[in-house]
Amino acid sequence: MIDGEFTVEKNMGEMFMRSDIVKKGATRCAHRSLFHANGFGPDELSRPLIGICNSFNEIIPGHMHLRSITEAAKLGVAAAGGTPIEFPAIGVCDGIAMGHTGMKFSLASRELIADSIEAVAMASGFDALILIPNCDKVVPGMLMAAARLNIPSVIVSGGPMLAGRFHGRDVSVSQAFEAAGKFAAGQMTEAEMTELEAKVCPGCGSCAGLFTANTMNCLSEALGMALPGNGTIPAAYNGARLILAKLAGKVVLELLKRDIKPRDILTRKAFENAITVDMGIGGSSNTVLHLTAIAHEAGIEIPAMLFDEISRRTPYITKLSPAGTHHMQDLEEAGGLNAVMHELSKKNLLHLDALTVTGTLGDRIKDAEILRADVIRTVDNPYRATGGIAILRGNLCPDYAVVKASAVKEDMLVYKGTARCFNSEEEGVNAIMDGAIHDGDVVVIRYEGPKGGPGMQEMLNPTAVITGMGLKVGLITDGRFSGASQGACIGHVSPEAMEGGPIALIEDGDIISIDIPNRKLELEISDEELARRRAAWVKPEPKIKTGYLARYAKLTTSASTGAVLKS
């Protein structure tokens, strides 16, 4: 008998599918009539119903081509004996949302995506899912939904954008953000800026560097939830991506037949593999939030310090934009994630027995090899002996803070500076653009955490302007950073200011000490002074008091636990 859980049970050799609850028996006459209205006949209803979640829209360049990916996935499902049924998911373009109120919705949209997929899949009785994301919060949102629903699922993304070309070099959207600082500093003319903005994003796909979207699409492979090539085959390589989508249709039916569900794949070993790969490639610091949130949905606790533990033993073997000059197309030419994982496995850093949607990880990567030594270094000759992300602790961040260490210059790994405090991103950016920030400062942007923002908006505008102006400063925030950010930029400071964390108690002129190699972030004042300030602190009024963000602020947890919503 089929109950409310998504299960595939066997009885006398016959498979009873979850979708039977919407299509079998006299009490489902009306249900079948509604399927008939959509053009599904008895033969199609006799097959497994496979939900195809398509996050196509016309605002995100990474999503504008997903109709063709979806059609290919549907062909793959039909060829393998299933009935594909398409439904939508929302998506926010972080680049377009950057620097204004829209960015407050970015992280918060992750929960909407997961919730809406859960709602449609549960209401429709789907037997399995193919999830088609590409950018930023859409990838983790879909992975969260897969873990929560626990029905056979495959991720197949739209792929990365090709790099643009500007004055003889490869460029991506991060150079466009940095252009504002260069223009303000007189290092770029308005005509050059106009020329640049027309060339950095040449077409469809998730922005070309190892930013959050591409990091998460790569880590979908490392987690075992996506096919090889998912993270690196460029969107412009239309044939290869359509073949990948068709294959996903075949694979999801095989998973259904074998009753392999996401939580069979998303084990502790899978998350340790993903974190290891994240450290080896120098991925976005946002992955700490997202992997923690996905693990939460899978019923697995991933403490923040696990990221640091794995980082300390994992060599950093690729250096992609924004840390370097290579882009995702270069990583694909170099052998993709399989080559990276094969190289990391030489130091026994991966669980090769971990299950993926196509067998074990060991079987998947056994024949991989590095095809461009300039893009993927060996574990014996890494860029750095430790991984791309560091977790910091100290009196300024009793829970934790995160920094993308791979994107920090050597002379900024240890740094002391004078605090310049701002209670919003806008205040901080205006001060930087007005020339009020100088070498030797530490810009503090607070009340931008999950509750305080609300929504924990990314700080690419201030980091890009700082980089473009050539300032030697630190930046700390209880918000977060874009995967395109670089420099001594420390985010996720927890507890956040809105909860009375120490970041709320910093005053202009305080000395802040950053020591990334020793994982320290300290406010150089006495415990007594810190206690005095804490006693005098008054919690400010919420910035937003109505609508979805107001509800989000009331329900979200700390960044240190993935900024997930309380049950």
Side-chain angles (χ1 to χ4, degrees):
M1 183 174 180
I2 296 175
D3 56 22
E5 295 297 315
F6 278 110
T7 58
V8 177
E9 299 178 8
K10 301 289 182 66
N11 181 21
M12 299 181 65
E14 184 178 359
M15 179 184 291
F16 289 89
M17 294 172 288
R18 166 63 181 161
S19 59
D20 289 350
I21 63 174
V22 297
K23 64 189 185 185
K24 282 194 174 183
T27 60
R28 298 301 184 255
C29 175
H31 302 61
R32 291 190 294 274
S33 72
L34 293 167
F35 279 108
H36 178 83
N38 281 320
F40 295 109
D43 184 55
E44 289 166 298
L45 291 183
S46 71
R47 303 170 185 167
L49 302 186
I50 311 300
I52 315 288
C53 186
N54 176 12
S55 59
F56 162 82
N57 63 47
E58 293 183 338
I59 192 67
I60 310 176
H63 292 226
M64 66 179 180
H65 64 303
L66 294 188
R67 283 173 169 164
S68 62
I69 302 294
T70 301
E71 290 304 312
K74 289 161 74 173
L75 286 172
V77 166
T83 296
I85 303 178
E86 181 182 345
F87 68 100
I90 66 165
V92 170
C93 179
D94 279 27
I96 292 173
M98 198 74 64
H100 60 93
T101 301
M103 178 46 70
K104 298 178 186 294
F105 286 90
S106 173
L107 180 62
S109 74
R110 186 188 70 181
E111 317 308 311
L112 290 173
I113 291 162
D115 290 351
S116 64
I117 293 171
E118 177 191 17
V120 175
M122 288 292 288
S124 306
F126 291 138
D127 295 298
L129 294 171
I130 293 179
L131 302 165
I132 303 176
N134 213 29
C135 290
D136 293 290
K137 308 309 128 357
V138 187
V139 185
M142 288 191 173
L143 283 166
M144 289 167 67
R148 185 186 302 173
L149 289 162
N150 202 33
I151 61 174
S153 302
V154 178
I155 294 283
V156 56
S157 76
M161 187 184 293
L162 292 173
R165 294 286 292 174
F166 179 71
H167 294 184
R169 63 189 179 100
D170 286 349
V171 290
S172 67
V173 71
S174 60
Q175 279 76 41
F177 277 100
E178 291 166 11
K182 291 185 176 181
F183 178 72
Q187 299 171 16
M188 177 177 278
T189 66
E190 185 174 358
E192 288 172 328
M193 186 164 62
T194 300
E195 180 187 0
L196 175 72
E197 68 191 45
K199 294 183 176 179
V200 293
C201 294
C204 65
S206 46
C207 296
L210 189 62
F211 313 140
T212 303
N214 288 327
T215 303
M216 287 306 303
N217 277 323
C218 287
L219 296 191
S220 297
E221 290 188 47
L223 283 168
M225 290 295 294
L227 300 170
N230 179 75
T232 57
I233 298 173
Y237 295 3
N238 186 59
R241 292 230 67 105
L242 294 181
I243 290 170
L244 196 71
K246 290 177 185 176
L247 180 58
K250 177 182 177 181
V251 167
V252 81
L253 266 295
E254 183 64 23
L255 292 172
L256 179 62
K257 178 181 177 181
R258 296 172 61 195
D259 195 21
I260 296 175
K261 303 184 183 75
R263 291 186 196 175
D264 299 320
I265 296 169
L266 294 171
T267 62
R268 172 71 177 230
K269 288 182 177 181
F271 284 100
E272 290 183 0
N273 284 344
I275 295 170
T276 298
V277 172
D278 195 13
M279 300 306 159
I281 62 177
S284 166
S285 59
N286 283 316
T287 56
V288 178
L289 283 172
H290 297 323
L291 290 176
T292 302
I294 298 162
H296 172 79
E297 297 291 351
I300 297 169
E301 183 180 352
I302 301 293
M305 294 314 295
L306 179 63
F307 288 83
D308 201 67
E309 175 188 326
I310 293 175
S311 182
R312 288 179 182 275
R313 65 174 184 250
T314 305
Y316 170 45
I317 61 173
T318 75
K319 198 171 186 179
L320 306 178
S321 174
T325 57
H326 293 128
H327 293 80
M328 297 306 295
Q329 66 210 59
D330 299 300
L331 183 57
E332 169 65 13
E333 288 179 15
L337 262 291
N338 278 2
V340 169
M341 290 190 284
H342 184 264
E343 186 61 28
L344 292 173
S345 72
K346 293 178 181 179
K347 290 194 72 171
N348 297 316
L349 294 170
L350 297 173
H351 301 288
L352 299 182
D353 60 339
L355 187 63
T356 78
V357 292
T358 55
T360 68
L361 184 68
D363 287 340
R364 177 180 284 196
I365 68 173
K366 63 183 179 181
D367 297 322
E369 58 181 319
I370 297 172
L371 303 178
R372 280 184 58 183
D374 61 319
V375 177
I376 304 174
R377 289 193 176 184
T378 66
V379 290
D380 296 320
N381 181 37
Y383 286 100
R384 288 181 184 167
T386 56
I389 293 174
I391 304 297
L392 309 184
R393 302 288 284 273
N395 70 346
L396 222 167
C397 51
D399 290 347
Y400 89 137
V402 180
V403 62
K404 187 174 181 177
S406 58
V408 180
K409 293 180 180 178
E410 294 289 338
D411 63 352
M412 289 295 291
L413 290 171
V414 178
Y415 175 82
K416 283 189 180 183
T418 304
R420 297 294 310 282
C421 301
F422 305 96
N423 291 339
S424 70
E425 180 192 12
E426 292 79 9
E427 291 178 18
V429 171
N430 289 339
I432 296 165
M433 292 293 288
D434 290 343
I437 303 300
H438 308 285
D439 289 355
D441 288 340
V442 175
V443 178
V444 178
I445 298 179
R446 58 197 177 191
Y447 296 103
E448 292 290 7
K451 293 179 180 294
M456 203 180 182
Q457 59 186 351
E458 290 183 339
M459 302 288 166
L460 181 54
N461 265 3
T463 63
V465 171
I466 285 170
T467 299
M469 296 177 74
L471 292 170
K472 187 176 180 179
V473 300
L475 193 157
I476 69 169
T477 180
D478 52 5
R480 59 197 177 91
F481 294 109
S482 164
S485 293
Q486 56 181 306
C489 303
I490 299 167
H492 307 200
V493 172
S494 301
E496 62 174 290
M498 199 65 174
E499 293 189 317
I503 190 171
L505 312 178
I506 305 171
E507 296 181 357
D508 283 344
D510 286 345
I511 300 300
I512 294 174
S513 173
I514 299 168
D515 186 346
I516 294 171
N518 290 306
R519 308 304 201 248
K520 292 289 186 182
L521 180 62
E522 297 281 349
L523 178 61
E524 294 194 350
I525 63 174
S526 68
D527 292 344
E528 293 76 16
E529 174 62 14
L530 195 61
R532 185 194 67 77
R533 294 182 187 181
R534 182 173 288 111
W537 177 74
V538 177
K539 185 175 182 176
E541 286 290 309
K543 294 178 182 176
I544 294 179
K545 299 180 180 180
T546 60
Y548 174 60
L549 286 178
R551 296 195 301 274
Y552 178 88
K554 292 176 182 177
L555 294 173
T556 187
T557 64
S558 167
S560 62
T561 53
V564 297
L565 299 187
K566 300 169 189 173
S567 297

